[in-house]
Amino acid sequence: MPQIAVTIAKGRTPQQIRNMLHEVHAAVLRTVDTRPEHIRVTVHEVPHTHWATGDVTIAETRSLPADGSAAVEPAAAMDPAAPADARQGGTDVGHPAAFTTATDMELT
């Protein structure tokens, strides 16, 4: 009995979610030897403020200018109580191009 859990950032319409459920179900049905009524698909929607990559939330990433000129400081970099190595930074994690997540992809 296949069970598929999809975690996705909030913001899709109910129809987009329904279309995704249908497509995931169809893909499992095509590729796994099981009956349609045995396939379970669940969707977990996460608020943009509760999903972070590189200590920068989706909400923070989307608040950057289009040219990426203003980097978002990770929370550890702003916290004087954080360990020194966490405050050093290094890469421009706030630049939108630094992120490649499923949440950045649109369903077609």
Side-chain angles (χ1 to χ4, degrees):
M1 182 180 318
Q3 170 134 0
I4 299 86
V6 178
T7 301
I8 192 167
K10 278 191 175 183
R12 302 323 193 275
T13 66
Q15 189 59 52
Q16 287 176 310
I17 297 293
R18 183 64 188 101
N19 290 345
M20 180 180 60
L21 288 167
H22 172 76
E23 293 298 328
V24 170
H25 182 271
V28 172
L29 190 58
R30 277 193 315 272
T31 58
V32 178
D33 185 24
T34 192
R35 294 170 38 186
E37 63 270 18
H38 292 170
I39 300 170
R40 308 284 188 261
V41 182
T42 57
V43 176
H44 304 276
E45 292 185 282
V46 179
H48 292 186
T49 55
H50 294 149
W51 189 316
T53 302
D55 200 24
V56 180
T57 67
I58 294 171
E60 291 166 340
T61 300
R62 290 186 173 178
S63 69
L64 293 174
D67 66 2
S69 60
V72 174
E73 289 293 322
M78 297 181 282
D79 182 4
D85 60 336
R87 291 193 309 265
Q88 290 176 5
T91 61
D92 183 12
V93 296
H95 191 281
F99 297 94
T100 307
T101 66
T103 60
D104 297 330
M105 298 168 22
E106 290 298 320
L107 300 174
T108 57

